[in-house]
Amino acid sequence: MNDDRRDLKQSFIDHLDFKEDTHVLRPLGNGGMGTVYLVNRRSLDRLEAIKILAVDDLKSSAELRQRFIREIRMLGSLRHPNIVRVNHCGVFPEGVPYFFMDYVEGTDLRHLITERKSRECLMVCV
């Protein structure tokens, strides 16, 4: 990780610690849209997950930022026992959006697909 990205990541962690009363515990995963971390929301005394938009190139990411915001709004409008709930969203001072969601302990779909039989994975997806 280059110094600029490391400084930006530290800026995010400092912001979460101070403004959101949140302690980042560890990364949970990442993908094309962003990175998800396990966090302790101290004021609520609970574990949550936070998804932060990927920041590889902030200058050319307006479209990615809009897609991420649509994801937040879409997830925030859904209510179903099998869909995590969006609890809070915000934007870092650098203009990078993030959102807090319920943390569900377990594995991810990629792991199930590679480690288990296809039939079991289809049952999970359905």
Side-chain angles (χ1 to χ4, degrees), residues 83-100:
I83 299 174
V84 296
R85 182 181 56 215
V86 172
N87 299 320
H88 175 71
C89 62
V91 178
F92 290 110
E94 296 82 359
V96 176
Y98 61 91
F99 66 94
F100 290 95

Side-chain angles (χ1 to χ4, degrees), residues 42-119:
R42 291 184 292 250
S43 59
L44 300 173
D45 193 28
R46 70 178 178 208
L47 295 177
E48 289 187 348
I50 183 172
K51 185 171 185 179
I52 302 172
L53 178 66
V55 294
D56 290 336
D57 187 3
L58 288 175
K59 294 179 183 126
S60 65
S61 63
E63 182 181 332
L64 185 61
R65 190 172 314 164
Q66 288 305 314
R67 285 178 48 207
F68 192 81
I69 291 169
R70 280 195 305 269
E71 177 184 350
I72 294 169
R73 289 180 178 153
M74 181 183 60
L75 280 174
S77 70
L78 299 174
R79 296 287 180 264
H80 189 276
N82 296 330
I83 299 174
V84 296
R85 182 181 56 215
V86 172
N87 299 320
H88 175 71
C89 62
V91 178
F92 290 110
E94 296 82 359
V96 176
Y98 61 91
F99 66 94
F100 290 95
M101 61 188 134
D102 293 339
Y103 169 65
V104 179
E105 193 170 343
T107 190
D108 61 25
L109 187 56
R110 179 177 290 140
H111 176 77
L112 289 175
I113 290 170
T114 57
E115 297 296 322
R116 300 195 180 195
K117 297 177 184 172
S118 297
R119 183 170 184 257

Side-chain angles (χ1 to χ4, degrees), residues 11-23 42:
S11 172
F12 293 166
I13 290 171
D14 293 345
H15 175 88
L16 290 171
D17 189 47
F18 179 70
K19 292 282 190 186
E20 299 288 356
D21 195 29
T22 298
H23 178 68
R42 291 184 292 250

